[in-house]
């Protein structure tokens, strides 16, 4: 995800966490925890075997991904350190690279064991060939790639956790979807979900039989056994990341305290090699001039807190997700990795277990994050045929819906999306989406005595740029890729002062990490830099499209999605706004708006104006 030069906001720890309490004797005085950042320079794995006289060591490989988001064919430009890999990603290439990495590992470690794990958001906000099949095509692909252990991300809650559980176990649809989904084969994914800090409000137990941790036993050539523990974690910021009806049935326990709790439980069971699989984000920064790198963000804060609770913890490896960034670092003795998103990269971590200590050797863990390069960039790695067949089948089943032409653009070029924001956090597709929502809301209340003045949506809710074909046509699938959630649009009343307040919430500095911003229609505004580190920018003038300033005391009607209405992305001002109407489903509204444009013209990016001194 592209960072704005205006602000790097964080996933803050103030979320509605339910904290686990530990006995005082478990807390010890901690030393300063060192954070060391590595940069991966190589694009593919090389043979690696630890030099040791101990012949009983057990080689272990962990291949990890995060934030696939149903990206069966989606590609992007992956930055790993200072190197950019164009058109990286896609499930077909990802499968091929995972197989290659395992083969390289096996050449040097014939008695080795490989685990393939994923750190949440495997589904949700997905392109059409996954979304139209309720993401079951993605689950088929993950099964074909031999992923066996995973944890929950926030997008696993998009349609309710029950629906995600259904596709994990291969159950039949609980309600009627499109014909393509109803005819799609429903099969058990073979994926074991571990989640320790999400429990039902009703009984304080993990939902759907998910386990808080998992123990796997591996053997050496001589038959010596060592246990490995896996702990699953989800960010406690869930109340800001999905709708109320989806997050409210559950409690989200403090990440660090929960890890410490289960680390202690596992150690009592004789497990000393412990892996955390967590959907919590990293903020990684690489200076292009000096090649110096820094790692910060929620994961670092969580691990530092863990070391405060228990400096002698046994967490050896932490797989992160959620922030869609590359990271390779160590925090204390814990190795930390995150592999961007959408299969653009993958984690390849190799370690050696000592049956005598039941733990990893001190210098035996080697962690890398490698790119999933395109066939053009790396023809030596051949596409995976098995996953390719799954993707091709998904394309065939959804083609009738996806390829429907719904409109035509003025120019034969795709509209920019969030990966190409301008300096003020605007992009053409995002502005088009809010224009569509404003027009759709006005149409929806046309027969009522109700006006709609403005539209606002969260930048993260616009998932892609709008693809335009060479003949200028726009398809249903292209529109769905932009607005995949199917959120209800709510119309709320807000005073002019409250409009100012919510616009200013985008510029609050929560620290390093998560970046949130609003896209607007029906209004424009000026904002200025400040000397306040907690509020680096301030909105000073808001005016309608007619150029007239809005009245602080007047009430305006604003159309927003239900995610924002629940206070999503920390825009808590919307949570308190009075709902006065609804305007349909965001995907449908966007499709209908494109149909009505003859032709569709890319919006001018002039709604946010940064005013600086002379």
């Amino acid at each position: 995800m592209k960072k704005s030069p205006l602000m790097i906001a964080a996933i803050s720890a103030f979320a509605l966490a339910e904290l686990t309490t530990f006995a005082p004797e478990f807390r010890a005085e901690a030393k300063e925890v060192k954070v060391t950042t590595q940069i991966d320079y190589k694009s593919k794995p090389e043979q690696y075997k630890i030099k040791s006289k101990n012949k009983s060591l057990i080689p272990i490989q962990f291949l990890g991904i995060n934030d696939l988001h149903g990206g069966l064919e989606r590609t992007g430009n992956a930055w790993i350190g200072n190197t950019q890999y164009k058109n990286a990603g896609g499930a077909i290439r990802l499968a091929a690279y995972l197989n290659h990495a395992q083969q390289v590992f096996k050449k040097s470690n014939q008695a080795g064991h490989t685990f393939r794990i994923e750190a949440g958001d495997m589904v949700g906000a997905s392109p059409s060939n996954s979304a139209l099949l309720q993401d079951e095509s993605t689950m088929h692909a993950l099964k074909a790639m031999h992923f066996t252990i995973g944890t929950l991300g926030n997008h696993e809650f998009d349609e309710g956790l029950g629906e995600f559980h259904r596709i994990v176990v291969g159950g039949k649809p609980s309600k009627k979807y499109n014909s393509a989904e109803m005819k799609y084969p429903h099969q058990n994914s073979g994926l074991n979900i571990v989640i320790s800090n999400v429990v039902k409000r009703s009984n304080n137990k993990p939902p759907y039989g998910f386990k808080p941790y998992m123990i796997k036993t591996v053997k050496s050539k001589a038959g010596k056994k060592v246990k490995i523990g896996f702990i699953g974690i989800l960010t406690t910021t869930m109340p800001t990341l999905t709708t109320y009806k989806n997050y409210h049935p559950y409690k989200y326990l403090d990440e660090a305290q929960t890890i410490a709790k289960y680390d202690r439980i596992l150690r009592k069971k004789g497990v000393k090699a412990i892996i955390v699989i967590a959907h919590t984000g990293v903020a990684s920064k690489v200076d292009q001039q000096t090649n110096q790198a820094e790692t910060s963000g929620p994961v670092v804060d969580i691990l530092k807190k863990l070391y405060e609770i228990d400096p002698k913890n046994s967490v050896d490896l932490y797989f992160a997700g959620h922030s869609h960034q590359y990271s390779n670092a160590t925090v204390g003795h814990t190795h930390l990795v995150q592999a961007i998103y959408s299969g653009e990269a993958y984690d390849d971590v190799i370690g050696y277990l000592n049956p005598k200590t039941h733990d990893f050797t001190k210098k035996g863990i080697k962690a890398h994050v490698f790119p999933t390069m395109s066939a053009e960039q790396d023809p030596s790695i051949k596409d995976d045929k098995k996953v390719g067949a799954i993707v091709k089948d998904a394309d065939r089943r959804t083609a009738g819906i996806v390829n429907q032409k719904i409109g035509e653009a003025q120019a034969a070029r795709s509209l920019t999306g969030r990966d190409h924001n301008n300096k003020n956090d605007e992009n053409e597709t995002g502005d088009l989406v809010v224009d569509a929502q404003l027009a759709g809301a006005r149409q929806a209340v046309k027969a009522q005595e109700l006006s709609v003045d403005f539209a606002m949506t969260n930048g993260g809710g616009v998932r892609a740029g709008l693809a335009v074909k060479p003949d200028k046509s726009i398809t249903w699938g292209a529109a769905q890729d932009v607005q995949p959630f199917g959120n209800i649009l709510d119309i709320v009343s807000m005073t002019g002062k409250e409009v100012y307040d919510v616009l200013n919430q985008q510029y609050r500095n929560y620290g390093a990490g998560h970046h949130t911003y609003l896209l607007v229609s029906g209004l424009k505004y000026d904002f200025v830099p400040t000397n306040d580190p907690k509020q680096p920018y301030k909105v000073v003038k808001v005016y309608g499209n007619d150029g007239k300033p809005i009245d602080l005391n007047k009430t305006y009607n604003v159309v927003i999605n239900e995610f924002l209405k629940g206070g999503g992305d920390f825009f808590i001002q919307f949570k308190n706004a009075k709902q006065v109407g609804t305007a349909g489903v965001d995907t449908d509204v966007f499709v209908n708006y494109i149909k009505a444009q003859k032709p569709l013209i890319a919006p001018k990016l002039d709604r946010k104006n940064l005013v600086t001194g002379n």
Side-chain angles (χ1 to χ4, degrees):
M1 185 184 299
K2 184 178 179 181
K3 298 178 185 176
S4 167
L6 300 179
M7 183 183 113
I8 301 293
I11 304 172
S12 175
F14 78 84
L16 306 178
E18 301 283 345
L19 304 184
T20 305
T21 303
F22 288 88
E25 63 267 22
F26 186 47
R27 183 179 290 273
E29 185 176 349
K31 297 180 181 179
E32 180 66 27
V33 179
K34 185 178 180 181
V35 180
T36 305
T37 301
Q38 289 85 40
I39 299 177
D40 285 288
Y41 295 102
K42 296 178 180 178
S43 60
K44 285 198 291 190
E46 297 177 346
Q47 290 187 29
Y48 170 66
K49 187 173 183 178
I50 192 171
K51 294 180 180 179
S52 175
K53 295 180 181 179
N54 189 343
K55 302 299 182 182
S56 65
L57 296 183
I58 305 173
I60 302 292
Q61 180 186 46
F62 302 96
L63 295 174
I65 62 169
N66 55 274
D67 299 274
L68 182 60
H69 287 293
L72 297 178
E73 294 177 286
R74 183 166 49 199
T75 60
N77 295 329
W79 281 94
I80 295 182
N82 281 328
T83 306
Q84 184 185 44
Y85 299 91
K86 294 185 177 181
N87 300 316
I92 299 171
R93 298 295 295 172
L94 175 63
Y97 273 99
L98 293 173
N99 291 339
H100 173 72
Q102 187 165 343
Q103 289 165 6
V104 171
F105 169 70
K106 284 289 187 181
K107 284 181 181 179
S108 300
N109 304 278
Q110 288 83 4
H113 304 264
T114 297
F115 293 94
R116 298 192 182 191
I117 59 182
E118 74 78 39
D121 277 6
M122 60 195 96
V123 300
S126 308
S128 304
N129 58 358
S130 185
L132 285 172
L133 299 172
Q134 289 299 105
D135 285 311
E136 291 197 73
S137 51
T138 292
M139 302 310 290
H140 284 215
L142 288 171
K143 184 175 184 177
M145 285 189 269
H146 309 293
F147 282 93
T148 56
I149 306 173
T151 196
L152 298 176
N154 53 289
H155 282 282
E156 269 72 60
F157 290 72
D158 281 354
E159 295 191 43
L161 196 52
E163 174 61 6
F164 173 69
H165 176 255
R166 176 190 75 81
I167 67 172
V168 169
V169 300
K172 294 182 179 179
S174 57
K175 63 180 182 180
K176 189 173 182 179
Y177 297 102
N178 61 74
S179 59
E181 160 61 9
M182 301 309 289
K183 294 177 182 178
Y184 197 71
H186 315 295
Q187 65 179 28
N188 192 305
S189 66
L191 193 67
N192 297 287
I193 301 297
V194 287
I195 185 68
S196 61
N197 71 326
V198 178
V199 296
K200 293 165 65 175
R201 290 185 180 275
S202 59
N203 60 11
N204 291 316
K205 294 181 180 180
Y208 298 101
F210 298 148
K211 303 299 181 184
Y213 63 86
M214 175 178 291
I215 299 174
K216 291 286 188 179
T217 302
V218 294
K219 292 182 180 180
S220 68
K221 278 185 176 181
K224 299 288 185 179
K225 297 180 180 179
V226 178
K227 296 177 181 179
I228 306 172
F230 298 88
I231 301 170
I233 290 289
L234 174 62
T235 172
T236 55
T237 62
M238 280 300 292
T240 73
L241 297 171
T242 189
T243 60
Y244 178 87
K245 65 181 179 182
N246 289 338
Y247 78 73
H248 188 259
Y250 312 103
K251 298 177 184 178
Y252 305 91
L253 311 179
D254 181 83
E255 301 100 332
Q257 292 192 14
T258 304
I259 294 169
K261 172 184 175 180
Y262 286 104
D263 174 78
R264 191 182 192 190
I265 289 172
L266 286 167
R267 279 186 283 165
K268 284 185 175 181
K269 292 178 177 289
V271 182
K272 297 181 181 179
I274 297 176
I275 316 300
V276 172
I277 311 170
H279 198 71
T280 55
V282 176
S284 182
K285 181 181 178 181
V286 179
D287 189 301
Q288 303 293 327
Q289 301 298 322
T290 65
N291 213 32
Q292 296 297 307
E294 295 179 2
T295 303
S296 59
V299 171
V300 173
D301 296 339
I302 291 166
L303 285 172
K304 285 184 175 181
K305 184 175 180 180
L306 170 65
Y307 277 83
E308 288 178 2
I309 297 170
D310 183 9
K312 296 181 180 180
N313 72 81
S314 289
V315 176
D316 300 287
L317 179 58
Y318 193 115
F319 286 92
H322 190 51
S323 60
H324 296 190
Q325 296 186 32
Y326 156 79
S327 183
N328 187 357
T330 54
V331 181
H333 61 253
T334 306
H335 290 262
L336 163 63
V337 288
Q338 182 174 271
I340 316 180
Y341 94 122
S342 202
E344 292 180 3
Y346 62 94
D347 310 304
D348 185 1
V349 184
I350 296 171
Y352 291 82
L353 294 171
N354 188 336
K356 291 184 178 180
T357 64
H358 294 274
D359 206 348
F360 289 98
T361 57
K362 288 186 178 180
K363 297 183 179 180
I365 294 181
K366 188 174 183 179
H368 288 293
V369 179
F370 294 116
T372 303
M373 291 182 282
S374 67
E376 290 75 18
Q377 192 163 12
D378 182 13
S380 68
I381 300 294
K382 304 302 179 184
D383 289 356
D384 185 271
K385 292 182 179 179
K386 190 172 183 179
V387 174
I390 293 171
V391 174
K392 185 177 180 180
D393 177 63
D395 287 340
R396 177 186 62 80
R397 290 174 183 270
T398 58
I401 302 171
V402 170
N403 294 332
Q404 295 177 48
K405 179 180 176 179
I406 61 170
E408 190 170 290
Q410 183 183 50
R413 70 168 183 86
S414 296
L415 276 63
T416 59
R418 62 181 185 163
D419 289 339
H420 294 88
N421 279 348
N422 69 3
K423 65 180 182 179
N424 294 337
D425 278 334
E426 285 190 83
N427 62 76
E428 293 170 334
T429 302
D431 282 2
L432 187 70
V433 164
V434 278
D435 286 348
Q437 292 178 356
L438 182 58
R442 286 173 172 171
Q443 182 65 31
V445 299
K446 195 173 184 180
Q448 307 171 32
E449 293 184 3
L450 186 68
S451 63
V452 183
D453 302 288
F454 313 129
M456 299 185 194
T457 199
N458 52 306
V462 181
R463 302 302 295 189
L466 181 64
V468 176
K469 292 189 173 184
D471 65 356
K472 302 182 183 179
S473 65
I474 302 168
T475 65
W476 185 95
Q480 196 276 340
D481 289 350
V482 171
Q483 289 275 269
F485 295 108
N487 279 325
I488 300 297
L489 296 177
D490 295 326
I491 302 169
V492 299
S493 64
M494 303 176 72
T495 65
K497 182 181 182 304
E498 289 170 337
V499 170
Y500 269 86
D501 289 344
V502 80
L503 290 174
N504 273 311
Q505 283 176 359
Q506 358 172 35
Y507 300 117
R508 288 183 184 169
N509 185 3
Y510 296 108
H514 194 56
H515 179 208
T516 59
Y517 58 94
L518 292 170
L519 298 156
V520 299
S521 180
L523 63 79
K524 299 180 181 181
Y525 66 82
D526 297 339
F527 65 112
V528 297
T530 73
N531 293 320
D532 183 357
K534 294 182 180 179
Q535 183 83 38
Y537 296 88
K538 182 179 180 181
V539 175
V540 293
K541 182 181 178 181
V542 182
Y543 41 96
N545 287 343
D546 59 4
K548 296 180 180 179
I550 69 170
D551 187 335
L552 292 178
N553 299 310
K554 183 180 176 180
T555 297
Y556 298 91
N557 290 327
V558 186
V559 58
I560 59 176
N561 60 45
E562 60 181 319
F563 169 70
L564 285 178
K565 181 64 179 73
D569 274 353
F570 302 114
F571 292 109
I572 56 176
Q573 188 68 58
F574 289 128
K575 192 172 184 178
N576 300 322
K578 180 182 178 181
Q579 184 171 337
V580 296
T582 58
V585 176
D586 56 6
T587 309
D588 298 337
V589 167
F590 189 51
V591 168
N592 290 335
Y593 184 76
I594 293 172
K595 288 179 178 178
Q597 306 307 300
K598 310 270 183 203
L600 185 144
I601 301 173
K604 185 179 179 181
L605 306 183
D606 62 352
R607 303 175 191 190
K608 304 178 182 183
N609 179 37
L610 177 61
V611 180
T612 57
N614 295 330

